[in-house]
Amino acid sequence: MDRKLSKDQELEQLIFTAAAARSQLGEEAAALRQRLDVPMRIRASLKSHPTQWLLGSLGAGLLASVFTKGFSSRKRVKKEPKPRKFYHILLGLTLTAVRPFAKVWLTDQLKKQVLGQLGRSGAGRAYPGQRQP
């Protein structure tokens, strides 16, 4: 009988160590998951330190604007616009007025073309066993 008790005790000890190992592995897996979850960490940091994030982004923006101004060494020269001639103005007004009519005409032409191709390909035909209206 003494042996039976020791085996039972041994089984209980193994069950206890397995449960302890399982819980320790679960905790380590949760900690690892938390360390690797970057978006969650950023959200938590934003909630806990919003002013630091705001000041940091403000500083980074100012620093970036200073660096980009310093790198553009080419000075821009403003050119005076040439005076437009009368026929250029008239041509521009004519094209502006004709554009809506041209869009409508072109749309109608494309519709006719597409519908003509669909009619030739048999897309409007009835399937076998289907009534035609």
Side-chain angles (χ1 to χ4, degrees):
M1 284 257 185
D2 203 17
R3 281 202 177 256
K4 191 114 175 158
L5 289 175
S6 68
K7 281 193 176 186
D8 286 341
Q9 288 175 348
E10 188 178 335
L11 281 174
E12 285 179 21
Q13 187 178 9
L14 286 174
I15 291 171
F16 178 74
T17 55
R22 210 177 295 123
S23 67
Q24 186 178 2
L25 283 175
E27 290 172 6
E28 288 180 10
L32 182 63
R33 190 178 306 124
Q34 186 178 7
R35 265 189 265 142
L36 295 178
D37 191 6
V38 176
M40 189 267 313
R41 290 178 58 196
I42 290 174
R43 265 186 256 118
S45 179
L46 278 170
K47 286 181 182 177
S48 62
H49 309 289
T51 51
Q52 290 177 352
W53 277 91
L54 182 65
L55 293 175
S57 63
L58 183 66
L62 287 173
L63 192 65
S65 68
V66 166
F67 279 134
T68 56
K69 273 188 179 178
F71 288 132
S72 63
S73 61
R74 190 177 82 184
K75 295 181 181 177
R76 296 181 183 169
V77 178
K78 291 186 178 180
K79 294 182 182 177
E80 291 185 27
K82 294 180 182 177
R84 292 174 125 191
K85 296 184 179 175
F86 177 72
Y87 60 88
H88 287 144
I89 295 172
L90 189 62
L91 179 65
L93 286 173
T94 305
L95 289 175
T96 302
V98 169
R99 183 179 290 155
F101 298 112
K103 282 184 179 180
V104 170
W105 178 81
L106 185 61
T107 304
D108 288 340
Q109 294 298 319
L110 286 173
K111 282 181 184 177
K112 287 178 186 176
Q113 183 73 21
V114 169
L115 289 176
Q117 286 179 355
L118 287 176
R120 275 185 253 132
S121 69
R125 294 185 194 149
Y127 295 108
Q130 184 182 18
R131 291 186 197 173
Q132 287 190 350

